Amino acid sequence: QGLKPLVPTESPAPIFGTSKLASDLPATDTFLGKNQVPDLQKIFQRSDGLPVHLKRGVPDKMLYRTTMALTIGGTIYCLVALYIASQPKNQ
């Protein structure tokens, strides 16, 4: 019998994402929408002294503050839980 190869020796048939012919597809892709990269580059490359994760205004500030509050709250919770767990049991 011998050893059998783990990888098939023949490549599988190609799978295409559409059943339409290329001539049936529209010339432009309308589902892509407007290219927002130039607008975002203007926002993020502005030298206003803000870090990148706060450049888009109020939603970024709210997300940042919520993340910091959860991080600090979780750290305090863990420290309190460790303190309580390290206390001797009264019997």
Side-chain angles (χ1 to χ4, degrees), residues 51-67:
V52 172
H53 58 275
L54 296 176
K55 288 219 182 228
R56 292 184 76 185
V58 174
D60 283 348
K61 289 178 185 175
M62 289 176 58
L63 181 61
Y64 176 76
R65 289 178 181 163
T66 302
T67 303

Side-chain angles (χ1 to χ4, degrees), residues 15-48:
I15 299 172
F16 298 101
T18 181
S19 60
K20 295 182 179 180
L21 296 174
S23 60
D24 295 340
L25 294 175
T28 60
D29 294 325
T30 58
F31 61 88
L32 293 177
K34 182 181 177 279
N35 184 7
Q36 296 180 351
V37 172
D39 299 331
L40 292 174
Q41 283 177 341
K42 289 176 187 174
I43 292 171
F44 290 118
Q45 291 179 356
R46 191 179 325 136
S47 61
D48 52 6

Side-chain angles (χ1 to χ4, degrees), residues 72-86:
I72 292 169
T75 302
I76 292 171
Y77 174 80
C78 288
L79 291 174
V80 169
L82 285 172
Y83 176 75
I84 292 172
S86 68

